[in-house]
Amino acid sequence: MLIAQSIINNNEAHKIPISYNFRSKYDIVNFNNITFKEIMDLTVNTKYTPEDTVEAGTSEQSKDSHKVEFHIVKTDVDLSPEQEPEIAEDDEISEEPELNIDPADVISAQYIAQKIIDLVSSGEAKFKDITILVRAHHLKDLLKEAFDKVNIPYFLNEQSGFYKSEVVAATIHILKYLNT
């Protein structure tokens, strides 16, 4: 947040407002605008202004909308032994330090799996209607394990990073070109 704040406050920085989102449904765009306004307005010397809001880029984005839900999952609890991530017997033991698994991430993955089961069981959604984005690659393994335990079918996109996708790489090249 401090880096973004210093850029915002720098009158010499050239800012390019991005006013339209062409990928997300209208409800997601609107949810983000409301959320960021609430968060930014709580920060000292920061306001989320009309200039900061984003609009859905096409009328198609308003079709087939679904409600946006935001869940806060209590994760400050101890995991029972059966909730701990499993380590397969055939996993090699390496001398390299392992990634520490945050119990909060395990609890969140289990919560997501249960929420999916609830949505599908109630008829509110089908498995194919659900997409989950993760903030870090290692979280995919926790979701995969949670889904396997409750028999949720899934497709796992194994792309190795946000910045390696073609769209992001092309956008970065365009922005670098425009900056020179």
Side-chain angles (χ1 to χ4, degrees):
M1 184 78 143
L2 293 175
I3 294 171
Q5 188 63 46
S6 65
I7 292 170
I8 291 168
N9 293 335
N10 181 352
N11 292 330
E12 307 243 339
H14 180 70
K15 299 165 191 110
I16 302 172
I18 300 175
S19 303
Y20 297 97
N21 174 321
F22 290 95
R23 295 188 66 186
S24 302
K25 292 287 189 183
Y26 168 80
D27 292 331
I28 298 287
V29 174
N30 192 40
F31 174 81
N32 286 337
N33 283 330
I34 292 168
T35 302
F36 280 107
K37 180 177 183 345
E38 293 298 319
I39 292 170
M40 300 291 279
D41 287 354
L42 291 175
T43 308
V44 178
N45 298 326
T46 305
K47 290 287 180 206
Y48 195 69
T49 66
E51 180 182 282
D52 298 318
T53 62
V54 178
E55 294 180 32
T58 68
S59 60
E60 289 293 313
Q61 290 167 267
S62 295
K63 295 179 180 175
D64 298 325
S65 283
H66 301 282
K67 67 181 178 180
V68 176
E69 295 183 19
F70 183 78
H71 296 251
I72 297 175
V73 179
K74 182 177 179 180
T75 59
D76 61 345
V77 296
D78 291 328
L79 293 175
S80 64
E82 56 273 355
Q83 290 175 305
E84 290 286 344
E86 294 177 13
I87 299 173
E89 289 182 25
D90 59 347
D91 284 353
E92 291 183 26
I93 298 174
S94 73
E95 297 300 319
E96 296 178 24
E98 287 191 30
L99 179 64
N100 289 331
I101 297 174
D102 185 348
D105 292 334
V106 175
I107 292 167
S108 295
Q110 292 168 348
Y111 177 84
I112 290 167
Q114 186 57 54
K115 184 65 179 171
I116 291 170
I117 293 297
D118 294 346
L119 287 169
V120 172
S121 296
S122 70
E124 291 180 64
K126 297 177 183 169
F127 288 123
K128 68 178 187 165
D129 297 332
I130 299 169
T131 300
I132 299 168
L133 303 174
V134 295
R135 70 180 181 277
H137 187 70
H138 76 276
L139 298 174
K140 291 179 183 180
D141 292 333
L142 296 176
L143 284 170
K144 184 177 173 182
E145 184 177 325
F147 291 176
D148 286 343
K149 282 184 179 180
V150 292
N151 298 316
I152 295 175
Y154 58 86
F155 166 77
L156 188 63
N157 185 344
E158 292 290 347
Q159 287 184 329
S160 60
F162 176 77
Y163 292 102
K164 293 185 180 181
S165 74
E166 289 180 39
V167 172
V168 173
T171 302
I172 289 171
H173 288 299
I174 290 169
L175 291 173
K176 285 180 180 179
Y177 174 77
L178 293 173
N179 193 35
T180 57

